[in-house]
Amino acid sequence: MSINRRGFMGRIALAAGALGPWTPKSLLADETSHPTLESASPAARQHHEHDPASSRKKGYIRPNTIQIVQQSYDLIVVGGGISGVCAAISAARNGMHVALVHERSMLGGNSSSEVRLYPEETCGFSTWVKEAGILEEMSVEERARNWEPSIEGLMNSQWDLVLYEWARRENKLHLLLNTTMREVEMKDESHILAIHAAQLGTEKGFILDAPLFVDASGDGVLGYRAGAAFRWGCEARSEYGEHLAPAEHNENLMGNTLFFRARDTGKPIEFKRPEWAATFDTEADLTHRGHGFIEGGYWWIEVGHPLHPIRDNEEIRDEALRQLLGVWDHIKNHCTESDIRERARSYALEFVGFWPYKRESRRVIGDSVLTEKDIRMPSVRPDDIAYGAWGVDIHVSGGIETRQTEPYPDPRSDANFAERGTIPYGIPLRACYSKNIHNLLTAGRPISASYVAFASSRVLPTGAIVGQGVGVAAALCKQYACEPSVIARDHAFELQQILLRQDASIPGVVNADKNDLARSAQATSSSNARLSFPESDAFHAAALPLGQLFPVSTNQLDSVELLLHSKAQTPTTVKLSLWKAQSVWDLRPTKVLTTSSATVQPQQRGYVSFPLNFHAEPGSLYFIQIGANPEIAWSLYTDKMGVPSLVPAGTTPADDPGGSMCRPLTRGKSFAMRVTPEQRPYTAQNVVTGTNRPDRWTNIFKSDPKQALPAWIELNWQKPARFNQIQLTFDTDLNRRTSLPMFRNPDCVKSYTIAVLQHGGWKTVVVEKDNYARRRVHTIEPTTADKIRVSIYETNGAMQARIYEVRVYNEERA
């Protein structure tokens, strides 16, 4: 649709005249005094962001000589953080012509080298939960290329380059950097027609129209200017019945952070505090603020309430700089911890952020609102498109300037987990579009959530996978010529199946793609691994009840043996309970199925047997737990970064700090135990009947590590199948997010071939010698065959082959 720019400006002028005089104070009240804003028209909002005409000095206005470029797309994404990047790439891959409009010079938003917040470690909150899909593609590539570790404050431009390359690789994606959205033009009160933008450097203006838009701006700017209903601040506890919400609505938003980067120069470097910088003369001024990692800056250099995160952005930056330099002065000149002060002598600031990492702003309200119950006691919804896994992470109001005397309320701590811990929860499409602007989707921070739920969903990796889901939803809107709400109502199953095929994960949703020929095949392999738990000399004291979730492949559990250490001087009776688990994440106790007890001798260090004699359900997850006893400890293994993982897939160790669920012990851990009879939960059939990660089962094939590579798996059909595409999903360790430089995951398959059986002979159709990606899609010439064989010759370091999923399709070619 062509757009009449003169008509658009005329409508703004007409609206401005109708509104009459105003003051900046009225705008402040309009935006921040109410939890929901729904009434103001787009034109009114645009007018309120300009100086009042009555206050302007009269003078000659030069004619507008800026070049105006008008372009039409299928989808326009505003905001190039990782949620916007994933949304734009996802939509382009699914057939849409997309414009990605980003106001900065590099992509990545908070994760870019301009801000340097790395994609947070959701793996610290649950097991087997690292986000896959487009985010994992880019993360794996960045680690393989980057010679520096991935740590807050240390992010460099390699991440920017990977994001830029991934966007540029999509021929249907038009990237507009240095381009700020200025105005929103409405088709009617509930549909956006176009955005108006200005590009720094080229002096061009853009009028970009599309039938669909995505607000991935972080601040909800597109939704706000279009008149979308949104929330601001904390709802009252009574509104959604949220225990963690305040008694009354307030606007005590979390603050914004500036990071720094310091380098070891090899010689003493003096630092003189600028007069305008803050002072931290004693350790008491930094109460509960760890500052031993001096190479990179800290999330807690955070400035917020009572400053407004949008209106006061420049003031926040100035104050955060003042605080940052004061912290650095403390480290260099006043720190009483001698090891820190001594190390810091030769360090100098290399980078100081000038664009704050923003935590929160507007939340656009959709047809569904995520609440505390949804993230702590989740259920499966038919239109879930992504998941969240972070705890309820509400920062102290006021940030660093509060100088609080109590520790930061870490959701993972013993004191807070019972109230702030979460179970990986689905995020529905109905929470990812505006309820009153019908062609507006959202991704990242602006999705529809209460303040409490937002404190979990706001993190970068969650925003990225929501972005991928929204991109596919937009493509289906184009396919069915409908609005997002119709996709949520009528096409959610199709949406979910496309996402699973493209390496997304949705809790409780499994592969049911009728076009996947692999689902009807029988899978066999050269070998498969038994369930084996590694041992460790590190013992975890049972100050709290301890437990281990594990897969069972047999119909009988005779006994379990636990590697225990007793510090007691007398014999100690240890009691054990067994219950069934719904998933590797869901550690809510269920009905106790059986109990057992055993005596641990004084100072004993070894395996202790607990008889069970229990009739089990094969293909299920079970959880054992021992009671609290600080004199008893259980051997706890922790995977070492950079070497193959020894933690069995589909297992979760946990403790129980009290409350309604146990707390997973994360980042690659397992308690040492033995199960009788021997369990074989890693057979080849997992690659065609499971999902693409451990959830309700192990869902992975592992070859026997005692048998040298090569290893193989075969898919066998009862009658010949015709196909032209084979998709493989390998293991890049969903239990941990690595920070190592120049890293390729050792568990990922490196060298493999794919062969097809035709007329009694094998024909090789794919040869790969240097893979390190999780998902590979191979298009071959149309083939009819009885069997497919995937042969693994080498990994990037492990002794066994691992494959999560194999899919086979007969795709129509354009």
Side-chain angles (χ1 to χ4, degrees):
M1 175 181 291
S2 63
I3 298 175
N4 187 317
R5 180 176 180 274
R6 191 172 292 177
F8 169 62
M9 298 306 293
R11 289 196 293 277
I12 289 184
L14 181 62
L19 283 168
W22 68 283
T23 65
K25 185 177 180 180
S26 69
L27 174 59
L28 186 151
D30 178 54
E31 181 169 348
T32 63
S33 296
H34 306 285
T36 303
L37 294 177
E38 302 183 44
S39 58
S41 70
R45 292 171 184 271
Q46 292 156 358
H47 172 71
H48 279 192
E49 293 183 2
H50 293 78
D51 292 330
S54 59
S55 68
R56 292 178 180 157
K57 295 181 180 180
K58 294 181 179 180
Y60 174 71
I61 300 176
R62 290 188 177 275
N64 187 354
T65 58
I66 295 177
Q67 178 187 356
I68 301 298
V69 179
Q70 298 190 27
Q71 293 172 326
S72 298
Y73 297 91
D74 297 324
L75 176 71
I76 294 170
V77 179
V78 176
I82 57 176
S83 61
V85 168
C86 288
I89 291 174
S90 176
R93 288 181 179 179
N94 285 279
M96 302 193 85
H97 287 91
V98 183
L100 177 56
V101 180
H102 187 49
E103 65 181 1
R104 315 303 293 180
S105 297
M106 71 279 287
L107 296 167
N110 283 336
S111 71
S112 72
S113 64
E114 184 180 33
V115 180
R116 303 198 177 192
L117 173 72
Y118 79 141
E120 284 106 325
E121 187 68 80
T122 46
C123 303
F125 284 92
S126 195
T127 55
W128 312 106
V129 80
K130 185 177 73 168
E131 295 79 5
I134 296 170
L135 176 62
E136 176 70 351
E137 290 176 31
M138 299 186 296
S139 298
V140 164
E141 186 65 28
E142 187 270 345
R143 282 296 84 203
R145 296 183 186 184
N146 205 329
W147 62 93
E148 290 195 309
S150 175
I151 302 173
E152 283 182 351
L154 272 60
M155 300 288 287
N156 62 25
S157 290
Q158 285 298 318
W159 180 239
D160 306 330
L161 287 168
V162 169
L163 297 180
Y164 176 83
E165 180 180 323
W166 250 242
R168 286 294 191 197
R169 282 174 18 175
E170 302 298 328
N171 58 18
K172 292 187 176 182
L173 197 165
H174 184 196
L175 185 59
L176 292 163
L177 294 174
N178 299 306
T179 304
T180 302
M181 184 195 73
R182 296 295 191 191
E183 311 289 356
V184 176
E185 184 171 2
M186 302 299 291
K187 180 179 180 180
D188 54 48
E189 65 179 10
S190 59
H191 293 87
I192 302 171
L193 177 63
I195 64 167
H196 290 230
Q199 189 172 59
L200 180 68
T202 65
E203 298 186 358
K204 291 180 181 178
F206 291 88
I207 301 176
L208 309 174
D209 69 276
L212 285 168
F213 296 80
V214 174
D215 188 336
S217 65
D219 283 339
V221 177
L222 175 55
Y224 174 65
R225 295 189 180 181
F230 68 91
R231 304 305 296 257
W232 183 274
C234 311
E235 296 88 353
R237 186 175 303 150
S238 60
E239 183 161 353
Y240 296 115
E242 296 176 307
H243 172 71
L244 291 173
E248 303 293 335
H249 166 74
N250 68 58
E251 295 165 9
N252 300 344
L253 275 63
M254 290 181 271
N256 302 351
T257 290
L258 289 182
F259 289 106
F260 67 77
R261 172 72 191 267
R263 291 278 192 182
D264 187 351
T265 67
K267 60 183 179 181
I269 298 292
E270 179 184 358
F271 178 77
K272 183 177 180 180
R273 182 185 67 85
E275 292 182 1
W276 49 271
T279 57
F280 298 89
D281 294 331
T282 69
E283 297 303 317
D285 293 327
L286 285 174
T287 304
H288 305 294
R289 304 294 195 186
H291 49 285
F293 179 70
I294 59 177
E295 287 84 357
Y298 314 112
W299 63 264
W300 48 261
I301 302 179
E302 174 184 354
V303 174
H305 183 76
L307 295 175
H308 189 288
I310 297 175
R311 187 182 61 244
D312 298 326
N313 188 69
E314 294 295 292
E315 187 177 348
I316 287 172
R317 188 267 326 284
D318 293 344
E319 183 58 32
L321 276 173
R322 202 175 78 84
Q323 298 291 328
L324 184 155
L325 292 176
V327 170
W328 185 245
D329 171 61
H330 172 85
I331 291 171
K332 290 284 289 185
N333 301 320
H334 302 286
C335 184
T336 58
E337 297 182 30
S338 58
D339 60 328
I340 295 178
R341 187 178 65 254
E342 183 60 30
R343 282 194 298 117
R345 289 181 66 232
S346 59
Y347 274 77
L349 290 176
E350 176 189 78
F351 165 85
V352 171
F354 277 79
W355 186 254
Y357 151 42
K358 189 175 292 186
R359 286 182 175 82
E360 65 174 299
S361 186
R362 309 177 184 97
R363 308 187 301 278
V364 175
I365 300 302
D367 284 339
S368 177
V369 178
L370 279 177
T371 66
E372 181 180 338
K373 180 181 178 182
D374 296 322
I375 66 174
R376 286 184 41 77
M377 296 295 164
S379 58
V380 177
R381 285 161 292 210
D383 64 322
D384 285 341
I385 61 170
Y387 64 90
W390 198 259
V392 181
D393 193 4
I394 302 174
H395 286 210
V396 174
S397 180
I400 191 172
E401 295 182 282
T402 62
R403 305 293 199 267
Q404 74 262 24
T405 58
E406 296 297 324
Y408 172 75
D410 184 349
R412 287 166 282 205
S413 68
D414 290 356
N416 295 311
F417 180 80
E419 290 188 339
R420 295 173 181 256
T422 63
I423 299 171
Y425 55 89
I427 298 174
L429 178 59
R430 286 169 296 135
C432 302
Y433 58 76
S434 167
K435 71 176 184 179
N436 67 305
I437 305 300
H438 298 159
N439 63 340
L440 176 63
L441 293 144
T442 57
R445 295 201 308 270
I447 69 170
S448 180
S450 72
Y451 182 84
V452 173
F454 163 83
S456 168
S457 68
R458 65 183 173 83
V459 296
L460 294 176
T462 304
I465 59 176
V466 168
Q468 181 169 350
V470 162
V472 175
L476 289 177
C477 287
K478 176 185 176 182
Q479 178 179 331
Y480 291 108
C482 67
E483 294 172 345
S485 60
V486 177
I487 300 300
R489 186 189 68 211
D490 297 339
H491 304 287
F493 174 80
E494 181 180 0
L495 168 59
Q496 290 178 333
Q497 292 304 311
I498 294 172
L499 283 167
L500 291 184
R501 180 175 176 179
Q502 296 175 2
D503 198 28
S505 296
I506 306 167
V509 181
V510 299
N511 176 13
D513 186 350
K514 63 180 180 5
N515 295 320
D516 179 8
L517 301 174
R519 294 179 62 233
S520 63
Q522 183 68 33
T524 57
S525 61
S526 56
S527 67
N528 61 78
R530 67 182 180 90
L531 177 64
S532 176
F533 290 88
E535 299 176 358
S536 172
D537 291 332
F539 282 79
H540 189 80
L544 301 170
L546 302 179
Q548 177 80 55
L549 180 148
F550 62 102
V552 174
S553 61
T554 62
N555 62 6
Q556 183 70 19
L557 275 178
D558 294 335
S559 65
V560 294
E561 297 174 83
L562 313 185
L563 182 52
L564 301 179
H565 179 209
S566 173
K567 295 182 179 180
Q569 300 302 315
T570 59
T572 303
T573 299
V574 175
K575 294 183 178 180
L576 178 145
S577 301
L578 174 79
W579 66 74
K580 195 172 181 182
Q582 297 301 311
S583 75
V584 295
W585 308 308
D586 193 347
L587 301 180
R588 290 176 286 187
T590 58
K591 178 184 177 182
V592 174
L593 301 173
T594 189
T595 61
S596 184
S597 62
T599 299
V600 185
Q601 298 302 318
Q603 306 299 310
Q604 179 178 347
R605 185 182 182 126
Y607 280 97
V608 179
S609 180
F610 293 81
L612 295 173
N613 299 317
F614 177 74
H615 185 70
E617 183 180 337
S620 298
L621 303 175
Y622 288 87
F623 188 85
I624 57 169
Q625 185 180 73
I626 61 173
N629 186 330
E631 293 189 308
I632 297 294
W634 193 350
S635 172
L636 181 65
Y637 172 83
T638 301
D639 269 335
K640 298 172 180 61
M641 196 68 74
V643 300
S645 173
L646 298 181
V647 170
T651 66
T652 300
D655 63 14
D656 186 1
S660 60
M661 56 186 171
C662 298
R663 173 180 56 184
L665 303 180
T666 58
R667 297 188 178 97
K669 294 180 173 65
S670 61
F671 286 118
M673 59 181 286
R674 298 170 180 164
V675 182
T676 303
E678 182 180 84
Q679 305 298 312
R680 293 276 178 174
Y682 304 117
T683 64
Q685 196 63 20
N686 286 336
V687 304
V688 296
T689 58
T691 62
N692 55 18
R693 70 173 62 231
D695 46 27
R696 297 182 180 184
W697 184 240
T698 62
N699 299 318
I700 189 172
F701 157 72
K702 294 183 181 182
S703 69
D704 187 344
K706 294 182 179 180
Q707 296 188 25
L709 297 176
W712 54 260
I713 60 171
E714 289 181 2
L715 271 59
N716 180 23
W717 288 275
Q718 290 184 352
K719 59 181 181 179
R722 186 168 178 80
F723 51 88
N724 60 6
Q725 187 184 98
I726 303 166
Q727 175 179 316
L728 305 175
T729 304
F730 298 117
D731 184 6
T732 54
D733 195 350
L734 296 171
N735 227 0
R736 298 173 295 171
R737 191 184 304 281
T738 185
S739 61
L740 295 177
M742 305 298 290
F743 178 76
R744 296 184 178 193
N745 194 283
D747 298 311
C748 186
V749 169
K750 179 180 181 180
S751 173
Y752 62 93
T753 62
I754 303 175
V756 298
L757 184 64
Q758 293 177 315
H759 312 297
W762 289 101
K763 176 184 177 182
T764 300
V765 294
V766 173
V767 176
E768 174 58 55
K769 296 183 178 180
D770 192 28
N771 176 66
Y772 52 90
R774 169 176 155 86
R775 175 175 177 262
R776 295 297 304 271
V777 179
H778 296 286
T779 299
I780 64 174
E781 290 299 316
T783 300
T784 300
D786 303 295
K787 290 184 179 182
I788 291 176
R789 174 182 283 182
V790 181
S791 299
I792 298 94
Y793 297 95
E794 184 183 5
T795 71
N796 284 282
M799 299 299 293
Q800 67 179 174
R802 303 185 184 193
I803 302 178
Y804 271 110
E805 190 174 45
V806 178
R807 290 180 178 236
V808 180
Y809 292 93
N810 190 31
E811 292 284 272
E812 295 183 4
R813 296 188 178 181

